[in-house]
Amino acid sequence: MRVHHLNAGTMRIPGAPIVSHVLLAESGDGLVLVDSGFGLAETRDRSLLGPVRHVMRPSFDEAETAVRQIQALGLDPADVRHVVLSHADLDHAGGIADFPHARVHLTAAEADAVLRPRWFERRRYRASQWSHGPDVVAHPPGPLEWYGFTGVTEILPGILLVPLPGHTRGHAGVAVRVSDDAAAPERWILHAGDAFNHHAYLTGARVPFLFWCHQTFVTDDGALARTQHARLARLFATHGDTVEVVCAHDPALLLAPAGARRGPHR
Ligand SMILES: [Zn+2]
């Protein structure tokens, strides 16, 4: 499956400029977008993001939206049949309204958080991003196991929803199988959303302070989030040659050539 790595929303946070890394997969069932960054609506009305925009400082650049980048690739946004969200934070679900005919997949726990947000969740999810009435598919934990991760659901052939709760209560990673040929070595990309935000979480190096703050304080369950850091570091160390692990906000993981995103061969 051919996969494009796009930045659907630079955020100019002082001292820690970050990206909104989304995947565009050319699947047998049309185009599949993994996370959607910010959308056209926010570039036209910045107030839709609320006061948090003054902290996140998005670029509000229409050319960075997924819909415009898909057009720039010579593809048709109407062919986007599925959007799979790692979670529903405003910097991940902003683009869903630009694909009104796509089904929007997320975990059942995350869909419930959007529908019935607690106090803190009311500040991270934006009702405006869901007001077009998308066709939401809420996935309960599935029956599959994938590289030691359980509760996994196959949404489409070669596209898996991998529960990684902690950052939000229904947070998940999205695994995309890159190798189509069953006889060829398996190759995957795991988009881990905000389950981590800097490659140092994978390698054990020192995490820059502002990235640590985001992982520590913008989280639903800190202990669970730390569990996911450890599981992803283990995956990177043991299967990094097979599974390329990326996250939403680390510019280094977006810009690095694919080979550099893979972990050590074991
Ligand atoms: Zn985020």
Side-chain angles (χ1 to χ4, degrees):
M1 196 177 321
R2 187 169 184 207
V3 178
H4 306 266
H5 296 259
L6 312 175
N7 171 17
T10 302
M11 287 174 263
R12 299 161 300 170
I13 297 172
I18 58 174
V19 296
S20 293
H21 190 158
V22 310
L23 304 178
L24 178 70
E26 299 186 25
S27 85
D29 191 25
L31 297 174
V32 180
L33 195 59
V34 177
D35 274 0
S36 66
F38 297 107
L40 289 175
E42 285 99 29
T43 67
R44 291 164 184 168
D45 181 359
R46 300 178 178 198
S47 69
L48 289 174
L49 294 181
V52 75
R53 71 186 184 278
H54 299 300
V55 178
M56 302 172 82
R57 304 186 71 225
S59 63
F60 296 112
D61 179 358
E62 183 172 327
E64 278 193 342
T65 59
V67 65
R68 292 291 179 253
Q69 291 193 71
I70 288 167
Q71 290 169 329
L73 286 168
L75 300 169
D76 185 351
D79 288 339
V80 175
R81 300 214 190 114
H82 304 272
V83 180
V84 188
L85 296 179
S86 63
H87 63 301
D89 271 353
L90 55 85
D91 53 326
H92 296 255
I96 60 175
D98 297 332
F99 307 98
H101 307 298
R103 307 186 88 188
V104 177
H105 302 262
L106 71 178
T107 68
E110 192 71 3
D112 185 62
V114 173
L115 277 176
R116 283 175 281 279
R118 302 173 189 145
W119 180 83
F120 179 58
E121 289 165 342
R122 276 189 214 117
R123 277 139 193 86
R124 60 193 312 166
Y125 305 136
R126 305 303 292 181
S128 62
Q129 294 177 340
W130 300 84
S131 60
H132 60 293
D135 180 6
V136 173
V137 187
H139 296 274
L144 305 177
E145 181 174 339
W146 180 83
Y147 292 99
F149 294 85
T150 56
V152 173
T153 303
E154 186 168 50
I155 295 176
L156 296 165
I159 297 187
L160 310 179
L161 196 60
V162 183
L164 298 172
H167 180 71
T168 62
R169 51 174 151 138
H171 189 284
V174 184
V176 180
R177 184 172 173 145
V178 182
S179 50
D180 294 319
D181 184 352
E186 252 187 57
R187 276 280 158 76
W188 294 85
I189 298 170
L190 175 66
H191 187 296
D194 283 0
F196 74 104
N197 63 1
H198 191 278
H199 56 279
Y201 280 103
L202 299 179
T203 61
R206 185 182 177 83
V207 176
F209 179 68
L210 289 175
F211 287 87
W212 177 86
C213 286
H214 169 256
Q215 281 292 291
T216 304
F217 300 119
V218 189
T219 189
D220 183 68
D221 185 325
L224 255 182
R226 288 191 293 279
T227 301
Q228 308 306 352
H229 296 156
R231 297 171 85 199
L232 291 166
R234 202 178 315 129
L235 175 71
F236 181 74
T238 57
H239 293 98
D241 53 340
T242 304
V243 183
E244 185 184 335
V245 185
V246 303
C247 65
H249 296 313
D250 186 347
L253 291 177
L254 176 72
L255 298 172
R261 284 193 287 253
R262 295 199 182 100
H265 291 246
R266 293 292 161 102

